[in-house]
Amino acid sequence: YHAVSGNVNSDEVPTGSVPTALTGENISISTTSGVVITDNANRTSTVKSFDIQGVNGVIHGINTVLLPN
């Protein structure tokens, strides 16, 4: 659900409203106090691990599960 298109490292994370790859819904990304993701239901998650390179993209570990509406 909270996957975005592309191979995005932590120094390239966009801020503001970002469309997700699977549902087309937007999530909001803020970098004011770390990297915080907010979904459409105002649930938040903080990125705790960064730049884990996978075969098909980069993984950033979050501390809370975000579910689509």
Side-chain angles (χ1 to χ4, degrees), residues 6-9 49-61:
N7 196 32
V8 183
N9 287 310
S49 56
F50 301 88
D51 300 335
I52 303 164
Q53 186 63 54
V55 175
N56 61 346
V58 177
I59 299 168
H60 304 291

Side-chain angles (χ1 to χ4, degrees), residues 32-69:
T32 304
S33 294
V35 179
V36 177
I37 301 168
T38 305
D39 67 10
N40 288 335
N42 285 323
R43 296 173 291 219
T44 62
S45 183
T46 302
V47 178
K48 294 294 185 177
S49 56
F50 301 88
D51 300 335
I52 303 164
Q53 186 63 54
V55 175
N56 61 346
V58 177
I59 299 168
H60 304 291
I62 59 176
N63 69 343
T64 312
V65 175
L66 297 174
L67 299 171
N69 291 328

